[in-house]
Amino acid sequence: MTHTQPSQLRRDALRVELPHVADLLLHRRAGEIDEMAIDDMVFLSWLEWLGGSLRLTTTGSNICRQQLNSPGN
């Protein structure tokens, strides 16, 4: 299956959603994450599969930190 680059609007929505995704991963609740969001975040290198487990990449961690420190959060 070929995956295409998510639109800017989709990337913005994923950026907002990423801290929640990180929290779900932290609490071992990855099954609650939308599969399309996982696919898009893996494509963007924000998440990665490692040994059958999904985890944040360094890029994903940095984006999460930016989201949590942005005004209005």
Side-chain angles (χ1 to χ4, degrees):
M1 178 173 131
T2 303
H3 197 86
T4 60
Q5 178 78 21
S7 69
Q8 183 62 47
L9 185 62
R10 175 70 174 152
R11 285 193 308 270
D12 291 345
L14 291 168
R15 182 178 289 270
V16 170
E17 186 179 353
L18 189 57
H20 177 66
V21 168
D23 186 61
L24 289 172
L25 292 174
L26 181 67
H27 292 97
R28 300 190 182 277
R29 295 170 43 199
E32 296 178 29
I33 304 169
D34 178 71
E35 288 182 30
M36 187 177 292
I38 291 173
D39 289 344
D40 287 343
M41 289 181 185
V42 167
F43 182 85
L44 293 167
S45 299
W46 298 356
L47 298 177
E48 66 183 353
W49 290 103
L50 185 66
S53 295
L54 194 59
R55 71 176 198 142
L56 281 175
T57 62
T58 300
T59 302
S61 294
N62 290 337
I63 291 170
C64 254
R65 193 171 19 263
Q66 290 169 0
Q67 283 301 109
L68 294 173
N69 293 325
S70 68
N73 285 333

